[in-house]
């Protein structure tokens, strides 16, 4: 069995019906909130420990990493397709502190939200 990369997560959620579909849908529908692995497990109908093992096995990443990836992917999409201020993007993804969001985004992508937006605009819109 080949290991799935994070890039295949959204496809995996859409291309097949799995017991994890409800958990994935829960994350997608609650990105504006603080999401816990416990809430994901409850949405999927599993005990947290069993859910975590199953999710890791099927998706190739932990539920917590999945939440982070979804939030950073959505932030990147908002940074490149809207002119919303970084603070509004942070708020829309459940980050009460824009500085924490910037730190989170930099850890995920290697650059700050502002730098990401600037580089994207220079690279793709010229």
């Amino acid at each position: 069995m080949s290991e799935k990369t994070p890039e295949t997560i959204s496809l995996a959620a859409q291309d097949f019906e799995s017991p994890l579909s409800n958990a994935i849908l829960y994350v997608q529908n609650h990105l504006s909130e603080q999401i816990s692995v416990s809430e994901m497990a409850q949405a999927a109908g599993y005990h947290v420990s069993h859910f975590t093992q199953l999710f890791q096995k099927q998706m190739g990443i932990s539920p917590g990493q999945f939440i982070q990836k979804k939030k950073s992917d959505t932030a990147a999409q908002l940074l490149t397709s809207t002119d919303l201020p970084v603070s509004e993007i942070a708020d829309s993804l459940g980050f009460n502190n824009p500085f924490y969001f910037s730190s989170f985004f930099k850890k995920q992508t290697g650059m700050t939200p502002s730098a990401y937006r600037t580089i994207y605009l220079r690279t793709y819109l010229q």
Side-chain angles (χ1 to χ4, degrees):
M1 181 167 129
S2 67
E3 187 173 318
K4 293 182 174 93
T5 61
E7 290 76 25
T8 63
I9 291 170
S10 62
L11 294 175
Q14 296 168 2
D15 289 348
F16 67 92
E17 188 63 35
S18 87
L20 302 178
S21 295
N22 288 340
I24 291 166
L25 188 59
Y26 180 85
V27 171
Q28 292 170 338
N29 290 334
H30 292 87
L31 279 177
S32 64
E33 304 166 18
Q34 295 291 326
I35 303 167
S36 71
V37 174
S38 177
E39 291 166 332
M40 288 179 71
Q42 185 176 5
Y46 290 108
H47 185 272
V48 175
S49 60
H50 179 69
F51 170 76
T52 301
Q53 292 174 349
L54 182 63
F55 194 96
Q56 178 78 41
K57 182 178 179 183
Q58 287 196 8
M59 301 300 288
I61 61 174
S62 72
Q65 290 170 321
F66 178 81
I67 294 166
Q68 291 177 342
K69 174 105 175 90
K70 281 296 191 183
K71 286 193 181 234
S72 65
D73 288 351
T74 302
Q77 186 268 326
L78 290 170
L79 287 165
T80 58
S81 66
T82 72
D83 59 357
L84 289 172
V86 172
S87 61
E88 284 186 38
I89 292 172
D91 190 51
S92 75
L93 292 171
F95 292 91
N96 297 328
N97 182 329
F99 298 108
Y100 176 70
F101 168 71
S102 290
S103 173
F104 163 82
F105 191 82
K106 185 173 183 176
K107 185 176 180 182
Q108 297 297 311
T109 65
M111 61 186 87
T112 66
S114 298
Y116 187 90
R117 177 178 269 166
T118 300
I119 290 169
Y120 175 85
L121 293 174
R122 267 196 239 139
T123 303
Y124 295 104
L125 300 180
Q126 284 185 341

